[in-house]
Structure formats: C-alpha cells, structure tokens
Amino acid sequence: MNIRYIQSKKILTPQKGGFLTEGEYPFTHTLSWAIGCGFGSIYCGKYCYAQKIPNWYYSREEGEEWGDALIIKENAPDLLQKQLSNARTRQSMRIFMSSVTDPYQPIERKIRMTRRCLEVFQKFDDLDLLVIQTRAPSVTDDLALIADIPYAWLSMTIETDRYDLPYGPSKAHIEKRFDAVRQAVEAGVNTQITVSPCLPYSHDFATHLVESGAHRIVVDTFVLGDGTQGTRTENSPFADTVNYDWRDNSIAEQLYQQLRHKHANVTWSSSGFVGILPRNQR
Ligand code: SF4
C-alpha cells in the first residue's frame, strides 16, 4: 500500500445532486479525508463504485490500481474546524462520512484521522446530522466519542451473513461487524445497518439483522446503489466472476419485505440512505 500525504484546500464537499440527495432529507455535504481505500484489495474493492470516480483517477500514480494507494488529506481536522467555525448554516448541515472511502481505514489506528475529525464535531453541538459509514469493526474504538456527538449516527455495512460467496466477507468479519453494531447500540449510539449492496444471504439473515438491535436498516442493490443503474458494477472485475445474477433486484426486495414484518424502521436504497429525519423531528 502506497501512502502519500497532501494538503487539501477543503474537506467538506457540498452535494448538488446524486445518490445522497435523492430522498426526503438530503445530505448537504460529504467528508472524505482520504482518496483511495486500504480495503480496495478485498472483496468489496472488486465492485466498489468509488474506484470509478474521477478524484481517484486523477490522483493515483501510473500503474496504481484501486487498493494500491491511499492519499491522505493531512490537514483534514484543521480544515474541518475552520469550515464548521465559519459555516453560517451549520444547523442545517447533514454530513456523510465517507462517500468515496471508508473512514476506518487500516491506517486509522496509527494516524487517528477520523478520531481527530470526530473530536472537532464534538465541539459543535448544533449540526443536523453526521453519518459515519463504515464496514470496519474498529469503529468500536470511537464509540464513546460518537455517542457524545448528539447528531451522529453509525452506519455499518453488512451485505450478507453468508461467508461462502466468491467476493464476499469472511465468517469472522461478519461476526465482528454484528458485534460492533451491538456494542454501538449498548453505548447509546444511533445505529443503522446498510445491507448495501445486498448479496445472497441465508434464511436467517433478516432475524440476525433485527436481533442486532440496530435502530434502522437500509437495503440496497447493485443496480440502484452504484449511481449508474449498474453500469459501474458491470464494468468492475466483480461482474464477470460471480456465480449469481447481481442484476437481480429481487434478492434484495425479498429481504426488504421480510424485514418490514420484523422491524419498525426498514428503508429502501437511496430513499433509505437519505431518510434520517431532521434533528427537530427525531
Ligand atoms: S471499504 Fe468501501 S470504499 Fe473501500 S473498497 Fe470497500 S466499498 Fe470501496
């Protein structure tokens, strides 16, 4: 993994359209302190839409593939402090961290970039929403801090409970993520699970999701969730290799219907991601 550090000019990216605005309560900004992803070489890197985004294309060095490099915006916490201090509309800010990488990178335990950003958020109690989207169980390092940010939500990706899939998670990793969700709920953190994208799953997956205690569940598909109606997934290394029809939305739809009978707050695709109520209505 090639690690490079840069000084960035901004850290909050205004959202003017796209997946994170296609719902009732759109996000206003995204926050990604890195370009690239240290998980890019594992299964999700095979279909990850973020590798198709120009930011990575223009920042990588010749020959680098997704997962080969992480470019760290070294001044992210300072920029965040400045942008939040100067924001005139802070009370309406709804921030998604992160849209093109994972905030709990393997290197996070060494550099604590996400933790330092959370410590900045902790100083401002008047934002509307911060969603911390990750698939890394190491988010549990920061649960006390997240619980202390009144508008923060942990959003944990759990795409399946099956560990026998080509390009799927291991048994240990699935269990660790469920455990992280349970710990977050116990710590008083607002917690959602995103089944995104929904992979083939076992008979008991819906029950496992409900029993985790997550406050919300979002179910999404490859076709609806990659931002290009499946084109990005079709052009990924994943599409030619798997032994199931990743275009079949009914796999996710069946899970969604099962969950609706078992859980009070189950939502679908972009309207689910973009459906957390404003703070004054929660
Ligand atoms: S962790 Fe997220 S950003 Fe990183 S490769 Fe997997 S899906 Fe992409």
Side-chain angles (χ1 to χ4, degrees):
M1 165 70 56
N2 303 324
I3 305 283
R4 294 192 287 281
Y5 289 88
I6 59 168
Q7 295 292 311
S8 188
K9 291 200 171 92
K10 58 174 188 169
I11 194 61
L12 294 175
T13 306
Q15 295 302 286
K16 296 184 178 129
F19 189 82
L20 292 175
T21 64
E22 293 168 356
E24 209 168 348
Y25 307 111
F27 288 90
T28 59
H29 298 81
T30 57
L31 192 172
S32 300
W33 57 254
I35 303 166
C37 183
F39 298 119
S41 302
I42 66 167
Y43 73 93
C44 58
K46 301 290 183 237
Y47 54 73
C48 176
Y49 70 86
Q51 64 195 298
K52 306 287 181 194
I53 292 200
N55 206 15
W56 162 249
Y57 259 67
Y58 295 123
S59 303
R60 67 181 179 170
E61 291 188 348
E62 201 176 335
E64 282 180 339
E65 300 292 336
W66 185 245
D68 287 346
L70 191 72
I71 301 149
I72 297 168
K73 300 171 187 172
E74 193 171 23
N75 55 341
D78 295 340
L79 286 174
L80 182 61
Q81 170 76 38
K82 202 166 157 190
Q83 279 194 259
L84 291 182
S85 297
N86 294 338
R88 290 200 195 132
T89 55
R90 207 167 51 225
Q91 290 84 355
S92 60
M93 288 177 101
R94 295 170 62 87
I95 299 174
F96 190 87
M97 179 170 82
S98 301
S99 56
V100 292
T101 189
D102 192 301
Y104 284 90
Q105 289 293 308
I107 201 172
E108 169 64 11
R109 281 196 159 136
K110 189 169 162 201
I111 63 173
R112 293 300 186 191
M113 194 63 81
T114 287
R115 179 174 291 178
R116 285 157 56 206
C117 288
L118 292 175
E119 285 167 351
V120 173
F121 281 114
Q122 195 182 25
K123 293 185 214 163
F124 298 90
D125 65 1
D126 55 353
L127 280 76
D128 193 64
L129 179 65
L130 170 68
V131 168
I132 301 144
Q133 179 74 49
T134 186
R135 69 185 58 231
S138 59
V139 67
T140 52
D141 291 358
D142 289 339
L143 289 183
L145 182 52
I146 297 170
D148 200 39
I149 301 170
Y151 47 87
W153 277 72
L154 167 63
S155 185
M156 174 64 78
T157 305
I158 303 180
E159 311 93 331
T160 177
D161 62 345
R162 276 182 56 182
Y163 48 87
D164 60 336
L165 298 171
Y167 299 125
S170 69
K171 182 170 191 270
H173 208 259
I174 294 167
E175 287 172 357
K176 280 184 188 166
R177 281 191 264 168
F178 270 114
D179 193 47
V181 168
R182 282 188 285 270
Q183 286 186 49
V185 172
E186 276 170 29
V189 173
N190 298 309
T191 305
Q192 74 177 8
I193 293 175
T194 48
V195 186
S196 173
C198 179
L199 306 181
Y201 46 86
S202 86
H203 180 262
D204 295 327
F205 190 33
T207 304
H208 292 152
L209 289 166
V210 172
E211 288 179 351
S212 71
H215 305 108
R216 294 182 93 234
I217 302 171
V218 183
V219 182
D220 198 10
T221 77
F222 282 104
V223 172
L224 297 176
D226 80 353
T228 57
Q229 290 294 307
T231 304
R232 282 181 180 145
T233 309
E234 191 172 273
N235 293 323
S236 74
F238 164 88
D240 293 335
T241 317
V242 285
N243 57 358
Y244 56 88
D245 182 5
W246 60 268
R247 283 193 171 278
D248 182 3
N249 285 350
S250 71
I251 297 172
E253 283 163 0
Q254 284 167 24
L255 179 69
Y256 175 70
Q257 293 304 337
Q258 286 173 35
L259 286 166
R260 287 189 64 188
H261 295 291
K262 295 172 181 275
H263 194 288
N265 199 341
V266 178
T267 57
W268 179 251
S269 194
S270 58
S271 61
F273 274 92
V274 188
I276 297 179
L277 288 169
R279 213 169 146 189
N280 61 8
Q281 295 178 40
R282 276 175 227 150

